[in-house]
């Protein structure tokens, strides 16, 4: 057995597959031994019967993403990964976003510069493809996929990001051939623009009308359209940030037909409703995100989808904008009309404690489902497994020792992001990480941040497990069965 640098004793180790009582031995940042009565190590942590789980993998968060000025994200790689670590997440996958007219390679290079020396936990990149030119499709995307950037998001809405239907087909064709995973933001841009115009013209511009401008059918239609494209090209896709029953019905319909349609949901669709946008003054802006939170009945459908396996991943979609800030929610005035309010809410640090407390703690999901949704499945979905997302010999020692008897009322003051609010202020929690370890090093314990900016490493992603390159060449003839 290798010389052990760290032993976590008396763990109840939970993976997506099983639960076992054991000690966990660590050397060189990796798990090298699992068993009873491991030899003494220089550093010992007694987990004393606590659940020890793989660190969270947040497969959808936005950090220091370039925005049209003066809009600015509040968290960069330093504050964002600090906040993640304090909430039990040990790998983040934010987005290198291509601006229209920009080369994709340049967007990735720029994003590396933003991350360099700042992260305290490991990170990989997705890409956002907003301008799939012939050069991007023929040269850049294939090269980037080979170099470890194996997932990319496409948008069906937002003027500065959205792709036309045929552009989405072009991108899916590359993903199919080279085995990458395409994440889809599914909302119908024209419906949103049309509704927004009518709402603002009639004086309905307060934050609550953001939800009215993108009702469930707008998400349902785009979800169905994205599924149709995936079926046409016989390629897996992941529908991100699914908000409720209407989109879930489409996804279950597709899954029932045997299509490889994966789905993600996020805390805002379990813990917020459109009523949270409809509060006194401008405070509803804090909960403006897209798709918007729906109602209590839809929250229940999202819980059902987590329980019955419709959803594969549970991510934060952390999109950090300060509330009281002209670069944030008060962009362009004290109370801008809803179409000008930056979309997105913070959630990196609260993702795991919220789902543990209200999912595992209430018996809605079990411990293994929790690990699968928050760590193992995103690691597999984005080609990081088994280095990340499990407790196994050879895996990185990214671990969380959970305190599942930790009663607290959440307040933004205890969080470590750089945002001046949490949409979950006052919510009761029953669990919080006691210790977070990243490659065997403690980055959070006893209520304190112990990480160091710059220790986090960039990890290249392998090909996503569900998206291996298809064996036969695809042409339009294949789609038509010719
Ligand atoms: O409102 C949201 N979700 N903002 C973040 C960007 C995105 O579409 O995920
Ligand atoms: Zn999105
Ligand atoms: Zn997002």
């Amino acid at each position: 057995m290798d010389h052990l640098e760290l032993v976590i004793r008396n763990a109840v180790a939970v993976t997506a597959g099983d639960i076992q009582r054991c000690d966990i031995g660590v050397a060189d940042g990796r798990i090298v031994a699992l068993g009873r009565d491991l030899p003494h190590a220089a550093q010992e942590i007694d987990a004393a019967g606590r659940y020890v789980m793989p660190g969270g993998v947040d497969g959808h968060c936005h950090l220091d993403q370039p925005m049209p000025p003066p809009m600015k994200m509040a968290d960069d790689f330093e504050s964002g990964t600090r906040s993640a670590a304090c909430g039990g997440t040990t790998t983040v996958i934010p987005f290198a976003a291509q601006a229209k007219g920009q080369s994709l390679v340049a967007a990735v290079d720029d994003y590396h510069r933003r991350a360099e020396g700042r992260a305290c936990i490991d990170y990989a990149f997705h890409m956002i493809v907003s301008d799939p030119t012939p050069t991007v499709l023929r040269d850049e995307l294939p090269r980037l996929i080979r170099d470890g950037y194996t997932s990319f998001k496409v948008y069906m809405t937002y003027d500065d990001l959205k792709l036309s239907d045929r552009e989405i087909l072009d991108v899916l064709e590359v993903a199919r051939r080279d085995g990458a995973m395409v994440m889809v933001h599914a909302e119908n841009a024209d419906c949103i623009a049309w509704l927004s115009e009518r709402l603002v013209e009639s004086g309905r511009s307060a934050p609550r009308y953001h939800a009215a401008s993108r009702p469930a059918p707008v998400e349902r239609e785009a979800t169905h359209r994205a599924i149709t494209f995936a079926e046409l090209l016989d390629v897996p896709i992941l529908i991100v940030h699914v908000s409720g029953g209407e989109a879930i019905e489409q996804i279950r319909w597709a899954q029932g037909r045997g299509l490889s349609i994966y789905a993600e949901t996020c805390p805002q669709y379990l813990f917020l409703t459109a009523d949270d946008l409809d509060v006194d003054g401008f405070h509803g802006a804090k909960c403006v995100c897209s798709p918007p939170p729906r109602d209590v009945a839809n929250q229940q459908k999202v819980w059902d989808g987590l329980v019955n396996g419709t959803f594969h991943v549970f991510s934060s979609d952390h999109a950090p904008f300060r509330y009281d800030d002209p670069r944030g929610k008060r962009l362009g005035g004290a109370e801008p009309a809803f179409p000008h309010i930056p979309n997105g809410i913070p959630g990196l640090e609260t993702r795991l404690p919220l789902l543990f407390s209200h999912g595992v703690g209430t018996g809605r999901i079990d411990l293994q489902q929790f690990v699968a949704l928050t760590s193992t499945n995103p690691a597999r979905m984005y080609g990081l497994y088994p280095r990340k997302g499990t407790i196994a010999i050879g895996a990185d020692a990214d671990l969380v020792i959970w305190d599942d008897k930790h009663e607290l009322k959440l307040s933004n003051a205890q969080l470590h992001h750089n945002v001046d609010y949490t949409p979950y202020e006052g919510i009761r929690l029953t669990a919080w990480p006691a210790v977070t370890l990243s490659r065997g090093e403690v980055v959070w314990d006893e209520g304190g941040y112990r990480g160091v900016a710059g220790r986090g490493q960039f990890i290249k992603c392998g090909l996503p497990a569900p998206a291996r390159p298809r064996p036969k060449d695809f042409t339009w003839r294949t789609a038509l069965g010719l």
Side-chain angles (χ1 to χ4, degrees), residues 62-66 72-73 75-77 111 114-115 118 320:
H62 303 266
L63 299 175
D64 200 12
Q65 193 174 307
K72 189 164 170 53
M73 285 202 164
D75 282 315
D76 64 6
F77 276 81
Y111 210 46
R114 289 168 183 260
R118 304 191 74 78

Side-chain angles (χ1 to χ4, degrees), residues 285-287 321-323 329 344-346 412 417 419-423:
K286 293 174 180 171
C287 297
F321 296 100
R322 292 174 68 84
Y323 171 66
K329 297 287 183 178
I345 62 175
N412 195 51
H417 57 194
V419 186
D420 55 356
Y421 75 96
T422 169

Side-chain angles (χ1 to χ4, degrees), residues 360-409:
V360 179
T362 57
R364 284 170 160 131
I365 57 170
D366 63 26
L367 290 160
Q368 281 120 312
Q369 281 175 304
F370 175 80
V371 171
L373 285 162
T374 59
S375 178
T376 314
N377 292 354
R380 286 175 59 78
M381 196 69 72
Y382 303 122
L384 294 170
Y385 185 88
R387 177 168 177 187
K388 304 293 186 187
T390 191
I391 299 177
I393 305 288
D396 280 356
D398 286 2
L399 299 163
V400 178
I401 304 174
W402 277 90
D403 178 357
D404 63 344
K405 313 257 174 321
H406 191 109
E407 302 266 342
L408 78 148
K409 195 169 150 198

Side-chain angles (χ1 to χ4, degrees), residues 73 145 153 155 160 165 194 233 237 256 283 298 300 317 320 399 447 450:
M73 285 202 164
I145 294 169
K153 183 171 175 187
Y155 283 81
D160 52 343
D165 290 355
W194 191 88
L233 271 81
I237 56 167
H283 288 275
N298 277 290
Q300 185 55 48
D317 193 11
L399 299 163
R450 312 277 173 240

Side-chain angles (χ1 to χ4, degrees), residues 60 62 153 155 158 185 240-241 290 317:
H60 184 161
H62 303 266
K153 183 171 175 187
Y155 283 81
Y158 294 132
H185 180 130
V240 294
H241 43 51
S290 296
D317 193 11

